[in-house]
Amino acid sequence: MTQAARCFHDGLVSEHYDVIIVGSGAGGGTLAHTLAPSGKRILLLERGDFLPRETDNWDPKPVFVEGKYISEDTWFDSDGKPFQPQVHYFVGGATKLYGAALYRLRPRDFTELKHVDGISPAWPLSYDDFEPWYTKAEQLYQVHGNAGEDPTEGPRSAPYPWPAVSHEPRIQQIYEDLAKGGYHPFHAPCGILLDEAQRSRSTCIRCTWCDGYPCLVHAKSDAEVIAVRPLLDRENLTLLTGAEVTRLETDDSGRTVTGVVVSRDGNREVYQADIVAISAGAANSAKLLLNSASDAHPHGLANGSDQVGRNYMFHNCKAVVALSKEKNDTVFQKTLGINDFYFGAKDYEWPVGNIQMIGKSNAEAMRGEKPKATMLAPEWSLSDVAKHAVDFWLTTEDVPTPGNRVTTDRNGDIHLAYTMTNNAEADRLYAELKKILNHTGMAEHHVLRKNFYMDMSIPLAGCAHQAGTCRFGPDPATSVLDVTCKAHELDNLYVVDTSFFPSIGAVNPALTAMANAIRVGEHLLGRMS
Ligand SMILES: Cc1cc2nc3c(=O)[nH]c(=O)nc-3n(C[C@H](O)[C@H](O)[C@H](O)COP(=O)(O)OP(=O)(O)OC[C@H]3O[C@@H](n4cnc5c(N)ncnc54)[C@H](O)[C@@H]3O)c2cc1C
Ligand code: SF4
């Protein structure tokens, strides 16, 4: 543990808190931030440590090629084959490495949507219900954006707190070309602490090491910087790092969590609170519940419905690199989005998805991601490829299915069974991207030697957008959590990470987790008052 407001050492600890939060990422960190001003005694348990600030933060070799910040966990696929999941155990969770694209779900994402491979179910709350918390989350995480450009976005009760991050010249050109072609490109919502009006005073320096890297200068709106760090001097907040929660114990009735069992520095510790909120990430929260089986909950805690771990989603994504003759000198590339195909395409009835930019390619990172990429460009070195690359991220919604699930084995380890859905929609999105590149000087018919495309599909291990596993809903037979994100079967157990998502939409999930954590936090404040 490198830093904590207060901590305890060794043995059985009987300290009693008002609230224990497990996990300090988008959900848990934001919940702690929402609860802390009340003065309630909060224990924040985080299995990771603070992510070290070091030059490696901004070096593609350690970050992408060597995977320095990826956990050493081993998970298993449905055939029992081990793999290293790309999960990040730090104060701030996955947001320490995230791209900080902070999107709201679209209003129709909250309703039932039919997809080529099944149904994306309706949420028990509407977009309008969620809107006030989206606004609060955008304000907390200082989201930069420009409302009104994207026809799929929902109504807002407040503008973005910060103006949109400007496009650099190559991206501005693409923006204008697309607009001329009749599309509706928009400024992507970004959570970076950039003040473009006063660059000399800006915390963010607008560098190229953002998407997938930790921010060395703490200028990314991640859950550590925004939510947790400002709480560290508070008397009523205790953060324990290196504290892995391994089990939740209940009273005999099974209705109340009475002990949060922690493994820390090789010791077993037990903590108690009136309310326990878990936010360990969709896979790890399911793992914790499943590993907490008892006589009262023989199939896992809160799992009488057999829903815990099911309906795991993580998006059907592609990273696509388009190469053109002209160089792309963009430094911070993640400023453009296109939702023209979000709910369908010409003569295509199914939702297709979101197109956005990702961090600018560089030769080192490409070497890590796809060693054979240059086979497509035999005359170009990886550096040439990187200099000419324009990088897109394509996201299609995957539908929740009961068979896509987390289970645990007798050792308590995660097994992840996952079959991708909506491949036809994802293929269509890729085809639409190629079409729109016609308008941007990266046309399909210019492919061949100087313009060509590579795609990098995201394998199972890339579980960055994991969600589902404990969905919320009114019916205890089909959901794990009620509408307040309290477990149906318990009186004091909540889940506030992306586990609660009944469906995932086709935009990045973090803002929805943050908004929901504020919503649940406000509910808890009411409950404890
Ligand atoms: C490379 C990358 C890029 C991404 N880019 C974007 C983006 O641009 N926009 C976006 O919206 N989303 C993005 N995401 C996804 C986003 O980061 C996640 O959706 C979000 O962080 C999920 O929040 P969470 O609270 O569910 O989990 P996390 O933020 O992962 O938090 C879970 C926390 O629980 C801790 N933990 C786990 N198990 C235990 C345990 N047993 N005991 C104690 N602590 C535990 C973990 O260490 C972690 O700190 C990205 C993710 C990655 C990895
Ligand atoms: S662009 Fe800004 S927020 Fe992102 S890594 Fe660079 S300095 Fe940090």
Side-chain angles (χ1 to χ4, degrees):
M1 199 193 77
T2 55
Q3 193 177 350
R6 283 182 292 134
C7 66
F8 302 89
H9 298 285
D10 299 338
L12 184 77
V13 179
S14 58
E15 195 83 12
H16 192 95
Y17 292 86
D18 294 309
V19 183
I20 289 176
I21 301 170
V22 180
S24 62
T30 309
L31 179 65
H33 191 275
T34 307
L35 297 179
S38 69
K40 295 290 178 191
R41 300 191 60 231
I42 300 161
L43 175 63
L44 182 54
L45 295 168
E46 169 53 54
R47 71 180 285 172
D49 208 329
F50 284 89
L51 193 145
R53 297 176 78 179
E54 53 194 6
T55 50
D56 277 0
N57 289 176
W58 280 352
D59 186 339
K61 189 157 183 276
V63 175
F64 277 99
V65 183
E66 294 161 8
K68 179 168 186 175
Y69 302 114
I70 297 172
S71 103
E72 288 175 1
D73 261 15
T74 300
W75 295 1
F76 299 87
D77 70 12
S78 51
D79 296 325
K81 201 169 139 213
F83 67 91
Q84 185 185 11
Q86 292 188 20
V87 289
H88 307 89
Y89 297 146
F90 294 104
V91 176
T95 68
K96 287 306 295 174
L97 279 293
Y98 80 164
L102 290 177
Y103 281 80
R104 298 178 176 207
L105 287 169
R106 316 285 101 179
R108 281 176 64 194
D109 286 323
F110 289 82
T111 67
E112 181 180 293
L113 278 177
K114 291 191 175 56
H115 282 268
V116 65
D117 284 343
I119 299 286
S120 163
W123 287 41
L125 297 175
S126 69
Y127 173 85
D128 289 344
D129 294 328
F130 237 79
E131 200 286 331
W133 295 294
Y134 271 138
T135 294
K136 287 181 184 180
E138 285 174 348
Q139 284 164 354
L140 176 62
Y141 282 87
Q142 304 195 30
V143 183
H144 296 50
N146 193 13
E149 294 176 325
D150 170 12
T152 68
E153 74 187 358
R156 331 168 43 90
S157 57
Y160 282 103
W162 282 85
V165 178
S166 64
H167 299 311
E168 290 175 48
R170 183 74 183 96
I171 307 303
Q172 181 65 30
Q173 187 61 54
I174 294 173
Y175 178 91
E176 286 166 16
D177 291 344
L178 290 175
K180 264 189 231 141
Y183 298 102
H184 301 86
F186 57 90
H187 287 82
C190 295
I192 56 175
L193 307 181
L194 176 66
D195 185 346
E196 293 198 85
Q198 302 185 84
R199 284 295 291 270
S200 60
R201 294 170 66 176
S202 173
T203 314
C204 168
I205 60 167
R206 190 171 185 144
C207 72
T208 201
W209 314 113
C210 204
D211 197 5
Y213 298 81
C215 178
L216 178 57
V217 296
H218 277 188
K220 182 148 63 176
S221 296
D222 63 49
E224 180 211 345
V225 169
I226 296 289
V228 178
R229 215 163 249 277
L231 308 180
L232 293 179
D233 289 334
R234 294 194 72 99
E235 276 295 305
N236 65 318
L237 185 284
T238 301
L239 167 67
L240 291 189
T241 56
E244 181 182 356
V245 177
T246 55
R247 184 177 169 80
L248 303 177
E249 291 175 341
T250 69
D251 62 4
D252 289 344
S253 77
R255 293 289 317 176
T256 306
V257 176
T258 51
V260 175
V261 181
V262 170
S263 168
R264 190 163 72 99
D265 295 333
N267 298 312
R268 180 182 188 270
E269 301 172 344
V270 183
Y271 296 90
Q272 296 179 324
D274 294 342
I275 289 168
V276 175
I278 63 173
S279 189
N284 277 307
S285 285
K287 170 185 170 178
L288 179 57
L289 293 176
L290 293 171
N291 288 348
S292 300
S294 64
D295 289 347
H297 295 271
H299 305 295
L301 194 56
N303 195 25
S305 61
D306 189 29
Q307 291 297 306
V308 171
R310 294 190 186 274
N311 306 304
Y312 181 94
M313 299 164 279
F314 77 132
H315 280 146
N316 191 332
C317 291
K318 273 190 180 61
V320 176
V321 179
L323 301 180
S324 58
K325 270 183 275 190
E326 60 269 64
K327 273 197 199 159
N328 176 14
D329 293 324
T330 307
V331 174
F332 184 86
Q333 188 170 243
K334 213 172 162 69
T335 57
L336 181 85
I338 305 155
N339 274 341
D340 287 275
F341 316 106
Y342 200 91
F343 293 112
K346 192 160 180 275
D347 303 324
Y348 193 73
E349 64 183 299
W350 311 108
V352 177
N354 163 273
I355 298 175
Q356 59 185 272
M357 315 300 296
I358 44 174
K360 181 79 186 68
S361 284
N362 62 72
E364 285 292 348
M366 290 179 108
R367 197 168 287 126
E369 282 170 4
K370 186 110 175 175
K372 291 180 185 160
T374 44
M375 286 172 63
L376 288 167
E379 290 146 38
W380 282 15
S381 70
L382 273 175
S383 309
D384 292 328
V385 171
K387 270 182 212 144
H388 292 258
V390 181
D391 310 76
F392 296 91
W393 179 257
L394 310 186
T395 305
T396 296
E397 178 167 17
D398 55 340
V399 287
T401 66
N404 282 349
R405 66 186 297 202
V406 171
T407 52
T408 55
D409 60 23
R410 67 180 62 177
N411 299 319
D413 291 328
I414 288 177
H415 287 239
L416 182 55
Y418 186 84
T419 304
M420 190 60 81
T421 58
N422 294 338
N423 284 329
E425 294 176 6
D427 290 346
R428 178 62 188 241
L429 187 59
Y430 188 32
E432 293 296 342
L433 174 75
K434 289 201 214 171
K435 269 193 241 163
I436 70 172
L437 293 179
N438 278 311
H439 298 273
T440 64
M442 292 177 280
E444 256 182 298
H445 53 272
H446 292 157
V447 179
L448 300 175
R449 291 174 61 177
K450 295 209 173 146
N451 289 34
F452 56 85
Y453 303 90
M454 299 175 287
D455 87 55
M456 296 170 270
S457 298
I458 312 302
L460 187 61
C463 39
H465 288 188
Q466 58 181 282
T469 73
C470 297
R471 64 183 176 190
F472 80 149
D475 182 358
T478 57
S479 55
V480 177
L481 309 172
D482 71 12
V483 176
T484 66
C485 285
K486 183 185 77 60
H488 286 294
E489 295 168 27
L490 286 102
D491 297 324
N492 69 339
L493 177 65
Y494 290 76
V495 182
V496 293
D497 52 31
T498 52
S499 308
F500 85 99
F501 285 34
S503 64
I504 192 170
V507 288
N508 318 48
L511 187 76
T512 302
M514 293 157 178
N516 186 59
I518 298 173
R519 180 182 77 90
V520 174
E522 290 179 0
H523 159 77
L524 290 177
L525 291 174
R527 174 178 165 161
M528 291 187 291
S529 62

